[in-house]
Amino acid sequence: MAPMSQAWAFSFLLLLALFSSFLICSSNGERVFLYPQSPKVSSIVSKRYRTAYHFQPPKNWINDPNGPMYYNGFYHEFYQYNPNGSLWGNIVWGHSVSTDLVNWIRLEAAIERDTPSDINGCWTGSATILTGGQLVIIYTGADTEKRQVQNIVLPKNQSDPYLREWIKVGDNPVIEPVGPGLNSSQFRDPTTGWIGPDGLWRIAVGAELNGYSAALLYKSKDFLTWTRVDHPLYSSKTFSMWECPDFFAVLPGNKSGLDLSAAIPNGAKHVLKMSLDSCDKYMIGVYDLKLDTFVPDTVLEDRRLWLRIDYGNYYASKSFFDSKKGRRIIWGWTNETDSSSDDVAKGWAGIHAIPRTIWLGGDGKQLLQWPVQEIESLHTGEISHQGIELKKGDLFEIKGTDTLQADVEIDFELTSNNNTDPFDPSWLLDTEKHCREADASVHGGVGPFGLVVLASDNMEEHTTVHFRVYKSQHKYMILMCSDLRRSSLRPGLYTPAYGGFFEFDLEKEKKISLRTLIDRSAVESFGGGGRVCIMARVYPVALVDDGGARMYAFNNGSSTVRVPQLRAWSMTRAQVNVNKV
Ligand code: DQQ
């Protein structure tokens, strides 16, 4: 099928977009807004930024996902929650349940600040299902002296399908920040427990030890009395404190998840994830049972090169084994990128990204992620196109879906790799910089090509998610960017150009896939079958104004790309925490 628009259209619209940037940046670098402002521009309390199918409570602040689990027919999602407002503070554990990971029932807070060991905050923690089925949650409390301690709660009535009430055990805190070199205000976020061959339970706790980051290792027979192992599970001199460590086992090339409460099969690798530098990074390695330590396959001194769960706005993630479907699922928190005064005006802040199935690729080198299949129950009105050819400068408008709430899957096939530009490894140190410099308007050999989403009629506002193909010595490297710099005409917003690279075997794989979930102020993208994921928040003015949002596939590289398959669906609104029982 011939593309519906011509090369000139793309160039014209990009020029227009470029021009709009002159209008919002003065020569001395200060941001000034010269556009005639519609009275609605300041209407940031607009409900139209609220997501329709991402997890969030009806109001107030949320951050980290806590203690996710599947138990007795229900998925449980707990979360860091401020019951009193839309800024961080007064943190308790909010609680919701679901049978399908899509629609959520809101319950009362599960853990509140009402004992000396958590009076200053009930912070992040994890759930473990012990042998015999006993459920237990371990979480960080900020105590009366603002020390960080670890506490335990148990369900009051384990046969209550909603597990509404949780009882704090008398032994709290079960772990205190004691020992030389341990910073008592940097000691938090215990992991889910795993069982060792000696039958003892283990957890890791994020900590600052002698000024360095460490995942401290603790052992227990009964999950109540804990002894610190004399060495950390893993430590690194690259940073002072890791938050929210997550430690789990995976089988290379196997999408099935592994249950940490059972013996881990031979051939499994382990993943240590940690939250630092405003993003979630991870290492793949082996868990040495004899030494009780994690040994990464590769140790990179420069932490800018560490693998990332997501290259966008995604933090404090936590995974769990879903025994219903035998998979591992990861949840992460996505903050607002408007200002805190916007959040006060909106009355809410923070969402959770779509739960993703997570597994280790066949080469054992990186994790792959994909939105849980259940999210497809929201699909409606499928449109599809085959055999689109995108020449340099072409824009193909994707019509017929609700462009504010959509799921788009598109494959790009290269017609030639003769023009690929050479790869410079120094780009890996700052992929955002490279995405800014080589943005969608900069012609390349192969690429940029991808999607333009949430575009206003005249393209003054738009977000691009796109790829560029580079030739490295023996392989191809693909850059995926999610460029928010033109996502909104509102001045002063944080609008980065996120980016990540992945290796690609062009001869074998041929197609580069992109899936993007658009949910009003959320644009969540999965490139190369889930090798690079980028979560982003955008606040287009056109959205508040009830203006149109258009969506396009485009190519701006010298080589023609083919789109053998493009499918898109509108997404119906999910029942997310609207009902309370
Ligand atoms: N959020 C929690 C902490 C954690 C941080 C406090 C990460 O336990 O380290 O709300 O976002």
Side-chain angles (χ1 to χ4, degrees):
M1 183 190 292
M4 290 164 83
S5 321
Q6 298 303 314
W8 62 264
F10 188 73
S11 314
F12 171 76
L13 290 170
L14 280 169
L15 261 177
L16 192 69
L18 212 63
F19 181 58
S20 69
S21 77
F22 292 131
L23 292 180
I24 59 169
C25 291
S26 72
S27 54
N28 63 8
E30 270 173 31
R31 295 183 78 87
V32 286
F33 198 83
L34 301 179
Y35 264 103
Q37 247 181 324
S38 129
K40 285 186 183 161
V41 169
S42 59
S43 159
I44 49 173
V45 281
S46 170
K47 284 204 172 120
R48 294 174 66 83
Y49 289 144
R50 265 187 84 80
T51 56
Y53 59 91
H54 279 76
F55 184 92
Q56 61 182 154
K59 60 177 185 178
N60 295 337
W61 165 274
I62 70 164
N63 56 297
D64 317 354
N66 291 158
M69 64 173 158
Y70 176 75
Y71 188 77
N72 204 12
F74 281 92
Y75 291 99
H76 294 256
E77 178 70 340
F78 302 91
Y79 49 95
Q80 295 281 281
Y81 180 60
N82 180 354
N84 304 334
S86 50
L87 302 179
W88 186 88
N90 316 301
I91 295 292
V92 302
W93 276 42
H95 184 195
S96 299
V97 291
S98 168
T99 53
D100 61 5
L101 292 163
V102 174
N103 301 291
W104 292 88
I105 298 169
R106 183 163 61 99
L107 303 171
E108 55 273 22
I111 311 177
E112 294 190 285
R113 300 181 300 122
D114 53 12
T115 66
S117 60
D118 61 10
I119 198 72
N120 281 305
C122 302
W123 293 354
T124 281
S126 306
T128 304
I129 305 174
L130 303 183
T131 326
Q134 171 68 52
L135 277 175
V136 51
I137 282 175
I138 184 160
Y139 69 99
T140 299
D143 75 3
T144 42
E145 293 157 44
K146 299 211 168 139
R147 292 180 323 154
Q148 293 167 15
V149 297
Q150 317 312 322
N151 300 314
I152 295 271
V153 290
L154 302 172
K156 185 172 178 190
N157 170 11
Q158 206 160 296
S159 52
D160 165 17
Y162 293 156
L163 300 168
R164 298 174 85 125
E165 286 182 79
W166 293 79
I167 307 286
K168 294 179 184 172
V169 300
D171 310 13
N172 282 338
V174 293
I175 305 179
E176 293 188 73
V178 287
L182 185 57
N183 181 342
S184 64
S185 59
Q186 301 286 4
F187 176 60
R188 57 184 181 272
D189 309 338
T191 63
T192 293
W194 68 95
I195 199 156
D198 52 8
L200 297 180
W201 286 98
R202 285 141 171 89
I203 55 162
V205 182
E208 180 187 313
L209 187 65
N210 299 315
Y212 299 128
S213 43
L216 297 183
L217 184 63
Y218 288 82
K219 275 192 196 179
S220 171
K221 205 170 168 182
D222 58 3
F223 228 89
L224 283 175
T225 311
W226 292 91
T227 312
R228 184 163 136 205
V229 178
D230 56 9
H231 58 268
L233 176 69
Y234 189 71
S235 70
S236 164
K237 298 197 165 167
T238 56
F239 204 64
S240 54
M241 156 89 196
W242 291 334
E243 298 185 302
C244 306
D246 195 22
F247 189 56
F248 55 90
V250 275
L251 278 169
N254 193 328
K255 274 191 165 180
S256 305
L258 293 174
D259 181 359
L260 304 180
S261 298
I264 299 301
N266 287 337
K269 309 278 291 189
H270 270 77
V271 174
L272 178 62
K273 182 239 76 171
M274 59 292 275
S275 302
L276 70 157
D277 296 330
S278 305
C279 58
D280 280 9
K281 306 191 179 187
Y282 68 93
M283 297 173 184
I284 299 166
V286 290
Y287 177 40
D288 184 324
L289 288 174
K290 279 206 194 91
L291 298 174
D292 228 342
T293 54
F294 171 70
V295 185
D297 291 345
T298 317
V299 179
L300 296 167
E301 289 299 323
D302 190 333
R303 65 178 195 271
R304 289 175 295 178
L305 297 172
W306 292 5
L307 292 161
R308 286 176 57 170
I309 298 283
D310 189 291
Y311 289 80
N313 179 344
Y314 187 94
Y315 196 69
S317 59
K318 192 168 286 295
S319 72
F320 73 104
F321 172 67
D322 170 13
S323 59
K324 182 180 178 187
K325 299 212 170 163
R327 59 190 169 177
R328 179 158 291 274
I329 291 175
I330 189 161
W331 281 99
W333 162 49
T334 297
N335 197 10
E336 305 302 306
T337 46
D338 55 5
S339 67
S340 39
S341 55
D342 287 335
D343 296 342
V344 171
K346 289 190 308 209
W348 60 273
I351 60 171
H352 288 173
I354 295 299
R356 306 168 177 177
T357 307
I358 186 164
W359 70 100
L360 182 62
D363 61 4
K365 283 194 195 159
Q366 78 168 122
L367 294 170
L368 302 174
Q369 297 163 77
W370 202 245
V372 291
Q373 199 205 345
E374 287 87 332
I375 203 74
E376 292 162 27
S377 64
L378 298 175
H379 282 174
T380 169
E382 173 176 345
I383 57 133
S384 81
H385 297 278
Q386 283 82 31
I388 305 165
E389 212 167 81
L390 295 173
K391 297 200 190 70
K392 181 178 176 183
D394 281 345
L395 266 178
F396 175 91
E397 183 160 8
I398 303 165
K399 290 183 174 165
T401 55
D402 177 349
T403 48
L404 302 184
Q405 289 172 212
D407 183 358
V408 189
E409 284 198 64
I410 179 163
D411 286 339
F412 296 95
E413 201 173 71
L414 311 187
T415 55
S416 149
N417 52 8
N418 295 338
N419 289 331
T420 39
D421 299 313
F423 175 69
D424 176 350
S426 74
W427 295 333
L428 292 170
L429 294 171
D430 193 345
T431 43
E432 291 194 16
K433 178 167 175 260
H434 188 54
C435 282
R436 285 194 303 270
E437 287 169 355
D439 72 20
S441 66
V442 178
H443 302 304
V446 184
F449 51 83
L451 282 177
V452 180
V453 302
L454 296 174
S456 56
D457 283 345
N458 55 10
M459 208 64 139
E460 287 165 338
E461 288 186 317
H462 65 269
T463 297
T464 62
V465 187
H466 58 268
F467 299 112
R468 272 171 193 275
V469 181
Y470 293 108
K471 179 92 175 80
S472 183
Q473 262 180 334
H474 305 293
K475 56 190 178 197
Y476 289 91
M477 294 294 283
I478 312 260
L479 172 70
M480 175 172 158
C481 301
S482 185
D483 188 346
L484 316 185
R485 285 172 305 152
R486 309 268 182 268
S487 60
S488 177
L489 287 173
R490 279 173 55 190
L493 285 178
Y494 173 59
T495 51
Y498 299 119
F501 277 98
F502 59 95
E503 282 182 31
F504 198 73
D505 187 337
L506 212 56
E507 271 73 43
K508 239 199 203 155
E509 300 187 68
K510 296 271 187 302
K511 286 180 236 159
I512 301 166
S513 71
L514 174 63
R515 180 170 182 192
T516 295
L517 291 162
I518 301 149
D519 189 5
R520 303 183 157 268
S521 60
V523 177
E524 188 166 0
S525 301
F526 301 80
R531 274 174 274 190
V532 166
C533 308
I534 305 182
M535 177 64 175
R537 300 301 303 278
V538 292
Y539 307 91
V541 173
L543 210 150
V544 179
D545 285 348
D546 205 2
R550 293 173 181 269
M551 180 158 63
Y552 305 89
F554 78 95
N555 176 26
N556 207 18
S558 302
S559 286
T560 297
V561 288
R562 272 174 44 78
V563 175
Q565 170 90 329
L566 183 165
R567 293 198 299 164
W569 298 263
S570 300
M571 296 291 273
T572 48
R573 180 171 285 278
Q575 296 292 303
V576 180
N577 291 320
V578 279
N579 299 320
K580 192 170 185 217
V581 287

